[in-house]
Amino acid sequence: MRTRIPSAISPGACVSCRARAAEAGEGHGQGVPSAFHRACSHLSTLSRVPAGLPGSGALAPLVGAWLLAWGATVLLSCAAVSHSGKDTNCSEIILIQEIVKDGFHRDLLIRVKLGTNIENSQTCNVLIKYHLPMGLYVDPYELASLQEHNVTEAMIIQDTVDLEAPDYLSEEFDVLLYAKSDSQCSECFRTILPIHCRYHQPEEKEERAFVVVKNPELFVSCYNDFPSLNCWKQSEMEAPCSMRNKHICQWSNMKYKSVNQNVMLQVPVGLRVHCHLVCVMTLFITVLCSGLILRAVFKHGHFSL
């Protein structure tokens, strides 16, 4: 004999549910749950009890009850996937980096866009962590002045920074940047980091060196939970809420899409063949200027014994 499957959990309904769930999963980067696959697999396998098996009449009620339970699992899985596909917004977080100015003193402009459908983004704070290579440095006195004028909030994670050390004698260090809301974009944040290039050793042929600034880490702290942020959360850390608010906040390390991968700076480098000429000219100009200063002092100065 055959056990009749209730119409509510028929194989046709299972196939239709699978199609709707797969469509929702493709649209939002989410696969159909494994429980859904198992339910449909068992449903199609056990939908028929071969006739002639001993005790098939006694097993029919048990098989029917078991199929009803699996049918409920199928419907719940399908409903969960469909609901997730409609309400979850996993729009990508975008980070843009841009170098401003030329020469040894540059500005690094960073802009972050949390998502097009995130409401009340003003309740979020954005923290950017840069790992600067040896060829660059940040002036802590300049950062203090910018913070005083409410331009940039940044913190160097290092006790001291040698501003005069050349590239080959310097060290790498980390900088924390607190981004501010962008008045031109409701879900955007921006900040500026002034960076300075260090002097490099003279080269034989090349007149320039390249310094690469790797993509930073992005941290977000919000008072409310946003689906987009939950989609891209990787890990968490504790750090001060801001430069003025020293309370500790919980920051979520976010995965983002970078418009331009890494930032490369060109630094002018001297040639070794010019070393002797540069040294002689520097010594000559130093002696000449010192002599002119002494002559002016003795000519126009007033001395009293």
Side-chain angles (χ1 to χ4, degrees):
M1 63 176 294
R2 295 195 175 200
T3 302
R4 182 178 298 273
I5 301 174
S7 58
I9 53 172
S10 62
C14 180
V15 172
S16 176
C17 182
R18 182 193 287 114
R20 292 197 303 271
E23 182 181 356
E26 290 175 0
H28 298 272
Q30 300 171 353
V32 182
S34 58
F36 179 83
H37 286 293
R38 292 196 300 269
C40 286
S41 176
H42 285 288
L43 185 59
S44 59
T45 302
L46 298 176
S47 60
R48 296 179 300 275
V49 178
L53 287 179
S56 58
L59 289 176
L62 296 177
V63 173
W66 189 86
L67 289 176
L68 283 174
W70 275 107
T73 304
V74 170
L75 296 177
L76 289 175
S77 300
C78 185
V81 172
S82 300
H83 177 77
S84 175
K86 292 180 180 179
D87 295 342
T88 301
N89 174 26
C90 289
S91 58
E92 286 186 318
I93 300 175
I94 300 175
L95 185 141
I96 304 174
Q97 303 176 92
E98 182 181 357
I99 290 292
V100 185
K101 299 181 181 178
D102 297 321
F104 279 82
H105 309 285
R106 317 282 186 95
D107 284 342
L108 182 58
L109 175 63
I110 308 104
R111 288 173 290 180
V112 178
K113 187 173 183 180
L114 293 184
T116 55
N117 295 325
I118 293 182
E119 299 178 355
N120 299 325
S121 60
Q122 291 79 9
T123 63
C124 292
N125 296 320
V126 174
L127 176 64
I128 304 169
K129 182 179 180 180
Y130 269 100
H131 184 74
L132 295 182
M134 294 186 297
L136 299 175
Y137 73 91
V138 176
D139 189 344
Y141 305 103
E142 182 180 14
L143 291 182
S145 176
L146 293 176
Q147 180 179 341
E148 183 179 354
H149 293 85
N150 200 27
V151 177
T152 297
E153 291 189 21
M155 177 173 55
I156 301 176
I157 310 179
Q158 189 170 332
D159 295 335
T160 58
V161 177
D162 191 345
L163 306 182
E164 304 297 332
D167 166 72
Y168 52 91
L169 295 179
S170 62
E171 298 179 353
E172 300 178 351
F173 60 93
D174 296 329
V175 179
L176 293 181
L177 273 168
Y178 293 89
K180 299 180 180 180
S181 299
D182 192 344
S183 58
Q184 300 179 356
C185 176
S186 59
E187 66 273 2
C188 299
F189 295 79
R190 60 176 292 165
T191 185
I192 296 178
L193 177 65
I195 55 178
H196 308 275
C197 301
R198 295 185 182 273
Y199 292 105
H200 288 64
Q201 283 185 325
E203 299 289 344
E204 294 291 344
K205 297 181 180 180
E206 294 292 334
E207 296 184 4
R208 59 183 180 179
F210 295 94
V211 180
V212 178
V213 181
K214 296 182 179 179
N215 287 337
E217 295 182 73
L218 178 64
F219 296 89
V220 178
S221 176
C222 298
Y223 296 107
N224 301 324
D225 267 343
F226 296 115
S228 176
L229 301 183
N230 293 331
C231 290
W232 300 105
K233 184 184 298 184
Q234 299 184 113
S235 60
E236 292 186 347
M237 79 165 187
E238 292 184 350
C241 299
S242 67
M243 292 296 296
R244 292 178 172 81
N245 183 2
K246 297 302 181 179
H247 290 87
I248 300 299
C249 287
Q250 197 75 17
W251 296 87
S252 299
N253 189 350
M254 309 302 300
K255 179 181 177 181
Y256 62 87
K257 178 182 178 182
S258 180
V259 174
N260 40 358
Q261 294 292 331
N262 301 329
V263 175
M264 183 177 295
L265 291 81
Q266 295 185 14
V267 183
V269 177
L271 298 177
R272 291 184 182 275
V273 295
H274 297 157
C275 284
H276 296 291
L277 177 62
V278 171
C279 290
V280 171
M281 292 300 298
T282 302
L283 179 61
F284 173 75
I285 293 175
T286 302
V287 173
L288 177 63
C289 293
S290 300
L292 293 174
I293 293 174
L294 290 175
R295 179 175 176 274
V297 169
F298 283 108
K299 183 177 180 180
H300 303 285
H302 300 280
F303 301 96
S304 59
L305 298 177

